Amino acid sequence: MSALTIDREGEIAVATLDNPPVNAISAEVRRALWEAVETFDADPEIRAVVLVCAGRSFIAGADVKEFGLPPVAPHLPDLVARIEAAAKPWTAAIHGAALGGGLEIALGCRFRLIDAEARVGFPEVGLGVIPGASGTVRTPRLAGVEAAVEMVTSGKPVPAPEALRLGLVDAMVTGDLRGAAVSYAASMIGGPLPEPVSARPVETRPDSYWAESRARLEKSGETAPLRALEAVRKATELPFDEAMAFERATFLALRDSPEAAALRHVFFAERAALRPAALKGVAPRGIGSVGVVGGGTMGAGIAAAFRMAGMPVTLIERDAGAAARAHAAVSRIFEGAAARGKLTGAEAGALSDGLVCTDDHAALGHVDLAIEAVFEDLAVKRAVFDDLARVCRPDAILATNTSYLDPRCLAEGMPAPERLIGLHFFSPAHVMKLLEIVPLPGTAPEVLATAFDLARRLGKMPVRAGICEGFIGNRILKRYRAAAEDLLAEGVPVAGVDAAMRGFGFRMGPFEAQDLGGLDIAFLQREAARAEGRDVPETLADILVRAGRKGQKTGGGWYDYPEGGRRPVASDAVARLLADRIAGGEVPAPEAIAERLVGAMADEGAAILSEGIAETAAQIDLVEIHGYGFPRAKGGPMHWTGRG
Ligand code: 3H9
């Protein structure tokens, strides 16, 4: 069945595109649209055309699945030009989203109507490319240079009212979009047509404008936004056809780049992560209210995350004073968001008001989900779990936020094991996207499905993790840190390792990151394991912590931080402390350092995969990107090393 159905409404042909799930433009869709233009042009009874889409959205863009394949005619820029040159004027009726190639098709139409709830945009830079079918060339002719630059370099979609204000669309519709588009198209029959967008004039801008825009974009370190800027500049300085040729060549070159391949890998991995195949058809439970036990940094962040997703939260602390402090800590998160303009003062107030902090466990009697986020100690956590089993409804889901403990030990002998699960948030929990979901042997499928559904509602990236020390993320972190210490032992300076990883694309290197978070947490874990009689070799970090160097909070860790500042300075004290563990040697190039450390991450990832702790290499990549700052444009350690 063709993706395009044709209906007639008097002299108007209504072409309905139906290519689920998001009407992406595949080769078949391009062919069908091309044939439709030819057919309508040849039909004397048709005087105008309306293009609408079935399903939840107008066209969401070119079919990203085809990006790895050779381009097949008719090519999208030619199709857009063919629609624009049609003898019968086309009207695009946009609902949901018109993105990338979808918006480009709309720009080829003579008229554009938009549903008031819809949005339009060019998200291509997020895939490491630029618009490739006239987005950079037609948009400045319609919406002006500044708006075009903002849209194609940021990738952010604009809502319907803004699209109308910018002149990207001709009218905004509330209600029956198809009917409105047919009436609109009919009303234009016989009248003078507006010039096609390609024939409209475009303003130029001085060199200084382009230099400033470039300087602003260079900070991100990404290639595609800079290339998108160049393409808009060409659109203002060259004739239409030459600007189109530049845009197309740039699009094709970027499409074949390793960066774009990595970003496509992440794009599909992220979408697959939200809907695990194993849970297809398993209905999640509705979660209307949440309890959190523990109001420290982690508990407060978790409570804030649930409040921001609109769920009422009850937080339990050990006494009334601690409960009041926890309430203040969570409220500060909302106030901070309001100060940064992310929330209004009233919204921040409402979020605080929906949080109850108390020392009375019985207050959790009504919640659908309770999460313990207390101190990382088996006995303490087990006592909390026992309390929860006592006070919560028998069907409430009970979750542990443990990062290192074995949740099976925590749950041992508890009644109703089907409702127990691990939900491992990352600090700060209201910011970090990663959520490791750790099913226990007895966890019911619908409890697991509920965890994935919750992740979606919280705007988190869920990854299912099997049980082992550190699950996926912290296990790889341990290996990464050990490999970084190996480099120090071979004579690479601390700052040399950090600079190499920043050069690779991390915001911070492994040592400065430890100084920020504190060296003592991992140290205490190693000490606890040693106390249990396990063989945990002395790390270089242990030597620093024993000397009182726990990171920025103690004025020094791997670096010195003079006068309580945050600027790291190479430390003579560290050099002295580690002197007899460090051999002199040839210092590898930064690229070789990064290759070695990312290789270590991937080696651990491969072990994790072979043990079934992670289901796919792509999920390991998501853990590193969303939990540990791995550069998205490199696709994650498994992808980058060719193992994913
Ligand atoms: C482009 O257009 C280049 C042109 O300028 C030039 C060309 C020459 N292709 O996100 P969802 C799939 S670049 C293929 O969960 P939502 C997705 O994988 C493109 N597949 O839905 C998933 O599949 P599955 C520029 C696509 O309702 C399913 O659709 N456009 C594409 O939360 C549902 O996706 C973009 O970058 C695609 N383009 O959000 C738009 N898009 O069910 C990217 C989606 O098998 N897309 N799929 O897992 C989006 O932003 C969101 O999908 C959208 C819907 C907002 C549309």
Side-chain angles (χ1 to χ4, degrees):
M1 206 185 89
S2 168
L4 206 59
T5 340
I6 312 298
D7 295 306
R8 286 289 297 276
E9 300 260 353
E11 296 176 304
I12 316 271
V14 180
T16 305
L17 178 61
D18 188 7
N19 185 29
V22 292
N23 295 312
I25 316 163
S26 59
E28 190 209 327
V29 167
R30 292 198 300 276
R31 270 194 300 275
L33 283 169
W34 188 282
E35 276 167 25
V37 183
E38 300 277 310
T39 310
F40 300 150
D41 274 6
D43 186 339
E45 287 178 10
I46 292 175
R47 304 206 43 210
V49 182
V50 166
L51 174 62
V52 289
C53 288
R56 61 181 188 254
S57 183
F58 192 74
I59 302 165
D63 189 338
V64 180
K65 286 191 225 70
E66 290 184 354
F67 275 22
L69 310 170
V72 176
H75 303 300
L76 193 53
D78 301 334
L79 174 63
V80 174
R82 182 69 192 87
I83 292 174
E84 189 179 65
K88 317 292 164 71
W90 281 51
T91 297
I94 300 168
H95 78 290
L99 299 176
L103 180 52
E104 288 168 318
I105 288 202
L107 295 184
C109 294
R110 206 54 77 101
F111 304 105
R112 285 158 294 282
L113 264 63
I114 192 165
D115 177 83
E117 299 300 318
R119 57 214 164 94
V120 299
F122 291 110
E124 282 88 341
V125 289
L127 291 163
V129 295
I130 69 167
S134 83
T136 66
V137 191
R138 281 192 170 87
T139 310
R141 288 174 156 80
L142 262 190
V145 177
E146 283 73 15
V149 164
E150 169 60 21
M151 285 178 76
V152 300
T153 62
S154 75
K156 285 198 203 108
V158 297
E162 177 73 355
L164 183 65
R165 192 186 67 75
L166 291 171
L168 281 168
V169 294
D170 302 293
M172 192 165 80
V173 176
T174 311
D176 176 16
L177 178 66
R178 184 187 191 274
V182 170
S183 307
Y184 191 91
S187 72
M188 294 297 160
I189 290 175
L193 286 178
E195 274 196 302
V197 179
S198 64
R200 298 190 198 185
V202 58
E203 292 180 357
T204 54
R205 290 289 178 270
D207 284 350
S208 57
Y209 170 78
W210 301 108
E212 278 160 27
S213 305
R214 191 176 173 83
R216 187 168 41 81
L217 293 170
E218 259 165 0
K219 288 191 195 121
S220 79
E222 291 165 43
T223 313
L226 287 168
R227 306 304 309 274
L229 179 73
E230 268 169 53
V232 179
R233 180 173 190 169
K234 295 283 186 214
T236 65
E237 294 174 352
L238 296 177
F240 182 83
D241 287 346
E242 285 174 40
M244 282 296 296
F246 180 85
E247 182 198 69
R248 180 77 178 160
T250 309
F251 167 79
L252 289 176
L254 287 175
R255 194 195 64 161
D256 295 336
S257 67
E259 194 169 311
L263 289 166
R264 283 199 294 278
H265 161 74
V266 180
F267 175 89
F268 287 115
E270 286 177 342
R271 276 156 179 86
L274 286 164
R275 282 185 293 271
L279 291 174
K280 205 162 182 213
V282 183
R285 290 192 199 165
I287 299 291
S289 60
V290 178
V292 177
V293 183
T297 311
M298 193 44 109
I302 294 174
F306 278 100
R307 281 301 298 128
M308 284 162 150
M311 283 172 257
V313 176
T314 305
L315 189 150
I316 306 294
E317 257 296 353
R318 87 179 76 79
D319 55 46
R325 282 193 295 282
H327 201 287
V330 181
S331 296
R332 268 198 302 280
I333 293 174
F334 304 142
E335 285 153 18
R340 287 192 306 280
K342 305 237 169 218
L343 296 173
T344 64
E347 284 165 343
L351 288 175
S352 287
D353 291 348
L355 171 71
V356 174
C357 293
T358 166
D359 59 354
D360 179 9
H361 277 68
L364 296 182
H366 69 287
V367 299
D368 300 317
L369 161 73
I371 304 173
E372 73 71 21
V374 296
F375 186 64
E376 198 69 8
D377 176 281
L378 191 59
V380 175
K381 282 188 183 283
R382 177 59 199 242
V384 170
F385 247 34
D386 285 336
D387 277 344
L388 291 177
R390 202 168 32 78
V391 299
C392 290
R393 284 198 329 261
D395 63 329
I397 296 174
L398 308 185
T400 171
N401 177 54
T402 184
S403 7
Y404 283 98
L405 300 172
D406 185 335
R408 287 168 302 200
C409 301
L410 203 57
E412 208 173 295
M414 281 190 65
E418 68 282 354
R419 63 168 168 163
L420 308 179
I421 193 161
L423 292 180
H424 183 210
F425 289 82
F426 288 73
S427 192
H430 59 290
V431 176
M432 297 298 288
K433 285 251 176 216
L434 179 63
L435 178 65
E436 283 181 332
I437 296 179
V438 189
L440 279 76
T443 304
E446 92 257 16
V447 170
L448 190 56
T450 307
F452 278 88
D453 187 51
L454 272 175
R456 255 193 309 276
R457 289 173 65 189
L458 294 171
K460 305 269 178 228
M461 189 51 62
V463 173
R464 178 183 177 148
I467 297 172
C468 66
E469 193 179 292
F471 308 121
I472 301 173
N474 283 339
R475 178 164 155 185
I476 293 177
L477 179 66
K478 191 169 162 189
R479 176 79 169 259
Y480 172 54
R481 286 180 173 167
E485 287 200 3
D486 288 348
L487 283 164
L488 297 191
E490 291 165 27
V492 182
V494 173
V497 176
D498 282 342
M501 297 319 282
R502 265 185 273 112
F504 183 79
F506 281 87
R507 292 268 299 281
M508 270 187 226
F511 297 115
E512 46 201 358
Q514 283 178 66
D515 275 0
L516 186 66
L519 278 67
D520 46 334
I521 303 163
F523 169 78
L524 289 174
Q525 270 151 14
R526 289 189 294 273
E527 287 291 89
R530 286 170 189 135
E532 282 169 18
R534 283 157 61 192
D535 179 22
V536 181
E538 173 101 329
T539 66
L540 302 185
D542 290 339
I543 300 172
L544 300 195
V545 175
R546 291 211 172 91
R549 302 185 64 93
K550 297 180 188 168
Q552 282 189 20
K553 61 185 172 190
T554 58
W558 292 101
Y559 297 91
D560 291 340
Y561 296 87
E563 287 141 32
R566 297 174 132 242
R567 200 176 61 82
V569 175
S571 170
D572 291 339
V574 170
R576 277 194 303 277
L577 282 166
L578 303 182
D580 60 350
R581 297 277 299 265
I582 289 183
E586 206 176 304
V587 174
E591 294 75 24
I593 292 174
E595 197 167 317
R596 188 146 140 206
L597 293 188
V598 175
M601 289 177 166
D603 286 345
E604 196 62 36
I608 283 170
L609 256 186
S610 71
E611 291 166 32
I613 300 296
E615 289 170 334
T616 64
Q619 289 174 9
I620 296 175
D621 287 336
L622 291 182
V623 166
E624 292 306 309
I625 290 167
H626 290 292
Y628 297 85
F630 195 98
R632 192 180 172 85
K634 297 252 177 3
M638 306 307 280
H639 175 85
W640 194 76
T641 55
R643 292 190 230 189

